[in-house]
């Protein structure tokens, strides 16, 4: 059974490359990821778009992953004026100052250990859950952590692409 494309997906499938790329850049900052998704158009439905994203994310090199992560702010510090990071980090809204400071310290320790921002799909996560994940992941090897980052990026991209498919750019 084939589902009908949503208005946002209809727009994305037919948009000129530049505006479609701009919309994808709001989802993920990796140029390689955007190129693969643009090359895969048209998509039958949001699931097909998300599957294309998963494949593109799996193919990212470490440099591509670094490019993708460059657009993600640290947990607890959403980018001012960026509704996506604010919405996704909603779980930090009620966090105590002590918890915010602890997460900042964990973010710094993580960045020192791995050389990049702590990336987690924060949607639906409490501040405590994100803190606990940061603590746990500090014990990962760099190889384990790259795979974890890739998995978290897949989840983030799926959430953002689903929104794009339904709402458009």
């Amino acid at each position: 059974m084939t589902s009908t494309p949503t208005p946002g997906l209809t727009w994305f499938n037919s948009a000129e490359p530049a505006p479609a790329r701009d919309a994808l850049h709001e989802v993920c900052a990796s140029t390689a990821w955007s190129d693969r998704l643009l090359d895969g158009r048209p998509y039958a439905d949001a699931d097909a778009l998300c599957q294309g994203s998963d494949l593109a994310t799996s193919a990212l090199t470490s440099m591509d992953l670094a490019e993708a992560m460059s657009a993600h702010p640290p947990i607890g510090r959403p980018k001012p004026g960026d509704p996506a990071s604010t919405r996704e980090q909603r779980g930090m809204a009620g966090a105590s100052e002590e918890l915010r400071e602890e997460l900042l310290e964990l973010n710094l320790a993580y960045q020192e250990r791995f050389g990049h921002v702590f990336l987690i799909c924060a949607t639906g996560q409490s501040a405590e859950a994100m803190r606990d994940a940061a603590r746990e992941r500090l014990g990962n090897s760099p190889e384990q952590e790259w795979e974890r980052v890739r998995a978290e990026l897949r989840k983030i991209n799926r959430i953002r692409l689903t929104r794009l498919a339904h709402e458009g750019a």
Side-chain angles (χ1 to χ4, degrees), residues 48-61:
L49 179 61
C50 287
Q51 289 170 5
S53 172
D54 289 349
L55 290 172
T57 303
S58 294
L60 295 178
T61 67

Side-chain angles (χ1 to χ4, degrees), residues 57-157:
T57 303
S58 294
L60 295 178
T61 67
S62 55
M63 288 182 62
D64 297 330
L65 279 171
E67 181 183 29
M69 289 188 305
S70 69
H72 288 272
I75 295 298
R77 299 178 130 184
K79 288 184 197 171
D82 178 2
S85 65
T86 301
R87 180 179 51 251
E88 292 165 357
Q89 292 192 31
R90 194 173 304 150
M92 290 298 297
S96 68
E97 193 57 38
E98 181 181 2
L99 181 54
R100 287 177 183 279
E101 287 176 23
E102 184 179 6
L103 201 45
L104 176 60
E105 289 173 19
L106 287 165
N107 275 319
L108 293 172
Y110 180 96
Q111 193 154 359
E112 186 172 312
R113 174 156 165 66
F114 297 110
H116 55 80
V117 70
F118 171 67
L119 187 71
I120 187 170
C121 181
T123 301
Q125 300 270 353
S126 69
E128 292 83 0
M130 289 185 275
R131 177 206 53 211
D132 294 347
R135 281 182 184 159
E136 174 194 332
R137 288 173 53 189
L138 274 167
N140 285 348
S141 70
E143 296 79 17
Q144 289 170 315
E145 195 51 30
W146 271 118
E147 286 312 307
R148 184 63 186 266
V149 163
R150 191 181 302 275
E152 295 297 318
L153 186 61
R154 271 188 206 97
K155 290 187 258 183
I156 293 165
N157 290 350

Side-chain angles (χ1 to χ4, degrees), residues 19-31:
R21 183 179 308 285
D22 290 346
L24 288 175
H25 188 75
E26 293 297 316
V27 173
C28 180
S30 167
T31 303

